[in-house]
Amino acid sequence: PPCAPVDPTLSPRPVRRRTMGGDPAPRGDFAVLTDADLAAFREILGDDNVRTDARSLDACNEDWMRKYRGNAGVLLLPARTSQVSAILRHCNARGLAVVPQGGNTGLVGGGVPVHDEIVLGMRRMNAVLSVDPVAGTVVCEAGCVLEDLEHALNARGMTAPLDLGAKGRCQIGGNVSTNAGGLRLVRHGSLHGSVLGLEVVTADGTVLDLLRTLRKDNTGYDLKQLFIGAEGTLGVVTKVAMLSPRKPTGVDVAICAVGSFADAVAALRDARTKLGDCLQAFEFFDRASLELVLSTLRGARDPLPKTKAPFYVVTETAVLGKGWATHRVARRRVRAWVGSLRKRGVAIDGVVGEDAKHASALWNLRERISVALKHAGAVYKYDVSLPTERMYDLVVETRNRLAAAASASTSASTSFDASKVSVLGYGHLGDGNLHLNVSSPDGYHPGLEAILEPFVYQWTAEQRGSISAEHGVGAMKPRELAHSKDEASIEAMRRVKEVFDPRGILNPYKVLPPPSTQHRSKL
């Protein structure tokens, strides 16, 4: 028989979902968790690692932005690949749906249940298994927190090939499963290139040993690539092998104020020429983003208080040579570049971090925008890839739509107050990734969503962009996938899913559009 409701405070709560992305897909034809299932899981994991208490379930059922909420009845915490295999073998035989969960830092609902899926938490599988400074590689378990991995690598004179604002919580398995981009992609590329090997458990419990640290392995199909960015829909990543570059001996951060987005693009073009060999990141944010950070986060300071520019670009450069003299030369080079931008009128003003503390303060102005947005109210987040020169046009068009809505609004009882809504634009200018954020202090509203969607996706498709640059598809965008993939590609993705997960138990309702609906390509 189905097990009794786990907690009276949880069971009556409806599945809460941000309006963005529409209503959740209806529950699939999956089995219902029973007491017998719980007993089987306890046999595999022991009592302490089968969690049904309210506190554990409350944390794993909801994402960190409090936008998506499921109603899972159990959280499972394996410590070994063999336990993951046994769990999935049982769930596949029973037809129980499973959602793998890492640090739960995603932004599209990919790591939380939609309905009552079993949550497979990876946090106990957190070991760094090997570090090879000669080959420049590391092998770790999927539950290893990115920041912990970075510390372990730093101790060996190495660094991770990616850096994220959520590094204190996000896990490597989740990073790989979402193909997380982050702040170092300009220098190190995406995880499709950095990941050398994986260990993956498929839906029926089969363990795929693809774990190699070889830079060259030309032996047929590169299966690991299928699992990078698959968001746990094809298999559960349990171990990761990836490249680990040398740790920079010095890092410099500079912020330049520019008068237009075209000047920001010109600064990027110039940085690639003048700083290309040491350029690690090239970011941008608009004045609205800066003002939000300054007004919301304690200790934040305007980097150029005498200049109220519409745009700011942030560069991070790294030097690998030994000795302070080498770093001093590198910093002088960055200062000369900032000075040349000002002299030629590309930049209005600029500042280079004087020391590590100052550099960190400058970098945090960009990195903590998402934190400031969380404190400002409800936020509609769009993560898109666009041709670099047209990235900010989407922000302008979105503001125009909201301004038109504000002027046309006639009744506060039937509509939201569009005049209170703010549109912010920031992101990774160096790789064409815009983060469009629409902040609504009065909360989410169907009327606001109607202005934003499907407009944002249609506009992106018209530019031959991608509706998801780095956040993934998750539960938010399956219905919008046709804006970035043609029908043949979506059908091919379905076939791949059927090969690895024929019963569809792994992270259902995510990535692929519902098969029962017609989603003709918009391309």
Side-chain angles (χ1 to χ4, degrees), residues 105-167:
T105 58
L107 295 168
V108 293
V112 292
V114 173
H115 296 289
D116 57 349
E117 301 92 284
I118 290 165
V119 178
L120 186 64
M122 303 301 291
R123 64 176 181 251
R124 294 179 65 217
M125 298 182 65
N126 57 14
V128 178
L129 301 174
S130 66
V131 177
D132 186 342
V134 175
T137 61
V138 62
V139 180
C140 66
E141 292 181 315
C144 185
V145 173
L146 177 58
E147 191 168 56
D148 293 341
L149 177 63
E150 179 71 9
H151 291 328
L153 290 170
N154 288 171
R156 305 292 296 274
M158 301 162 71
T159 187
L162 74 162
D163 183 24
L164 305 171
K167 57 181 171 284

Side-chain angles (χ1 to χ4, degrees), residues 384-395 431-434 456 459-466 469:
V384 298
S385 283
L386 291 164
T388 304
E389 292 183 339
R390 297 219 61 194
M391 281 173 62
Y392 203 75
D393 291 352
L394 178 55
V395 181
D431 52 59
N433 180 187
L434 171 69
V456 170
W459 195 94
T460 300
E462 289 169 0
Q463 315 307 314
R464 298 289 293 176
S466 171

Side-chain angles (χ1 to χ4, degrees), residues 396-406 418 450-456:
V396 174
E397 292 291 338
T398 303
R399 285 176 178 157
N400 290 341
R401 287 176 67 85
L402 281 164
I451 293 173
L452 300 173
E453 298 181 15
F455 163 73
V456 170

